[in-house]
Amino acid sequence: MNYQDLVNRGKNASEKKEVVIVKNSIDDLKSNLKVVKEFDYKPKKVEPNDFTQHYRERFKFLRNTLFNRPEAASTTSINQAKKSFEKNLTIIAMVNDVTRLPTGTMLVSVEDLTDQLQIIISSKKQELIEKLQFLTLDEVLIFKGSIVNEKMFLSDIIWPDVPQKKEEYAPDDVYAVFSGDIHIGSKQFLPKQFSTFVDWLSGKVGNERQREIAKKTKYFYIPGDLADGVGIYPSQEKELDIKDLRGQYDELAKYLEKIPDDKHIIICPGNHDTMVRLEEPQPKMYEYAEKIAELPNVTMVTNPSYTNIHSFDNYSGQDVLMYHGYSFDNLIDQVEGLRISGGYDSADEIHKFLLKRRHLSPTHNLNLTLPIKKDPMVIDKIPDIMVTGHIHKAKIGSYKSTISISGSCWQSITPFQEKMGHKPDPGMIPITNLKTRKSKMLSFK
Ligand SMILES: [Fe+2]
Ligand SMILES: [Fe+2]
């Protein structure tokens, strides 16, 4: 099947359909990649009703997820709760507004499909106040408390969260590497370091052990920002070595074509890949990146997407959720708890935050999203591996049974990042052994 067939197939696929691509090749170790979930959107005039429907559907999905929790027993609707005199009430609602009074007391306004409700959290409830540092607008959760004069006095909150899954271990000693944010075309792109990485992956450099690992690496995930793009910000042109988009991707193709065909390269777009729209879900790239898309071992996917790697016989493989991470800037800016937990230095905390909310972009204004009826940003499938990029800082972590991976970058610090106080860490490559599910960091500094 050639790439255009795939593009056409992707265009025709509904969001529910699974697109499956299976590639088997290799010298001594087999590999297997399946695209299990990606998102299509046919451009149309967006009506206000599309957003209403989008949020209703999201609410329903998260409410159903919360219903599976034991804490959701005897949940009532807000309109019924307001009439009740019971001491312990449980509601499932979406957060509309959060206010902190000078006294330290917090007011949270929430709604469900029946009504709105104001929730009061006394400053004396320190444990709850600390939990609420992680609250973000539009998220859906369980609220427990008592009702007085149609207001709830909060006793606890519970997030949808992910259940602990049985961890599956690959029968083979096989590896996946994760590294996006190449930003080719930028004056800050690091060609020497990126070349060394490509040479290592091609088995040309490194000691015996390092070459052995390279040989066993069969999956290379690139979570977006392949090129620096054009017209991203005013006077970006001054920061570019390659000023045209096609030139940037053609240059990257020269590196990627050196990588042996037995290694699957899985690529989604990021906010710098300007040939596709910025609104998420972003479609898979083709135009301007034809030379990359047509490489025999490259699979372009949407942002976000789910792929499954290395399933054979009785082993179901690893489900990998890849998302570029454009929502992270505003998330760090808006959520106090994430800043306290390390902000840009703690991508694992951001992943944990998103997995607990079962959503990649819980608040409306975090990024530009399209009001697709079935929300593509909900995490309805629990990933074995979650990989993101965008923040240019590599991190390995885990939450429950999900391995959390943040890729670094191949671009030194830009004047914009310097101004914002960011500290990118280029050339650090997370690598995961699918047999042991252990990850480590390789350095190509
Ligand atoms: Fe980037
Ligand atoms: Fe980015």
Side-chain angles (χ1 to χ4, degrees), residues 44-265:
K44 67 176 190 85
K45 191 167 174 256
V46 175
E47 310 281 350
N49 192 38
D50 293 327
F51 282 97
T52 310
Q53 205 167 35
H54 171 82
Y55 278 98
R56 275 179 171 257
E57 289 300 316
R58 181 199 293 192
F59 179 79
K60 283 183 196 164
F61 166 77
L62 293 168
R63 184 185 58 183
N64 290 344
T65 307
L66 284 160
F67 272 144
N68 291 326
R69 296 193 59 108
E71 297 92 336
S74 61
T75 299
T76 188
S77 61
I78 290 179
N79 64 353
Q80 289 300 320
K82 278 183 166 179
K83 295 178 206 155
S84 173
F85 296 99
E86 274 185 51
K87 276 256 169 358
N88 296 308
L89 276 168
T90 304
I91 59 160
I92 294 176
M94 187 179 266
V95 178
N96 274 347
D97 192 31
V98 182
T99 311
R100 190 190 287 267
L101 301 178
T103 55
T105 294
M106 287 183 77
L107 304 178
V108 179
S109 162
V110 302
E111 71 176 312
D112 68 5
L113 298 175
T114 66
D115 205 348
Q116 298 192 345
L117 180 71
Q118 191 159 71
I119 298 178
I120 299 168
I121 306 98
S122 157
S123 60
K124 289 177 191 143
K125 299 209 166 183
Q126 205 45 44
E127 206 178 309
L128 260 182
I129 294 281
E130 274 172 32
K131 260 188 168 182
L132 290 168
Q133 287 176 337
F134 287 89
L135 207 62
T136 183
L137 298 185
D138 307 325
E139 66 170 307
V140 179
L141 57 165
I142 292 174
F143 296 88
K144 284 181 172 284
S146 51
I147 302 278
V148 178
N149 294 333
E150 297 199 344
K151 291 184 172 49
M152 177 181 265
F153 286 80
L154 193 69
S155 58
D156 202 5
I157 53 171
I158 295 118
W159 278 284
D161 217 335
V162 288
Q164 183 77 39
K165 263 196 346 182
K166 185 174 175 279
E167 293 182 21
E168 301 282 348
Y169 299 88
D172 306 312
D173 202 18
V174 64
Y175 292 84
V177 284
F178 307 89
S179 184
D181 292 275
I182 302 163
H183 287 269
I184 206 156
S186 157
K187 280 183 180 166
Q188 279 82 23
F189 168 61
L190 299 165
K192 203 164 144 258
Q193 289 88 333
F194 189 60
S195 254
T196 309
F197 168 67
V198 169
D199 284 347
W200 165 74
L201 207 45
S202 312
K204 291 180 187 153
V205 297
N207 60 32
E208 200 181 326
R209 173 73 185 138
Q210 290 163 337
R211 284 175 197 240
E212 180 73 14
I213 292 173
K215 198 175 177 190
K216 290 177 176 173
T217 299
K218 299 296 176 191
Y219 308 97
F220 171 24
Y221 278 87
I222 306 183
D225 283 0
L226 280 73
D228 207 49
V230 291
I232 307 270
Y233 53 87
S235 67
Q236 185 196 11
E237 213 178 87
K238 290 182 203 152
E239 304 295 325
L240 293 176
D241 255 345
I242 305 170
K243 295 186 194 306
D244 71 294
L245 208 52
R246 192 176 299 280
Q248 295 180 0
Y249 291 92
D250 283 357
E251 180 65 13
L252 181 58
K254 288 180 198 162
Y255 288 91
L256 298 184
E257 68 190 13
K258 289 180 190 162
I259 297 172
D261 287 355
D262 66 282
K263 298 176 197 314
H264 292 280
I265 306 173

Side-chain angles (χ1 to χ4, degrees), residues 181 183 225 272 324 390 392:
D181 292 275
H183 287 269
D225 283 0
H272 277 258
H324 177 59
H390 187 63
H392 293 206

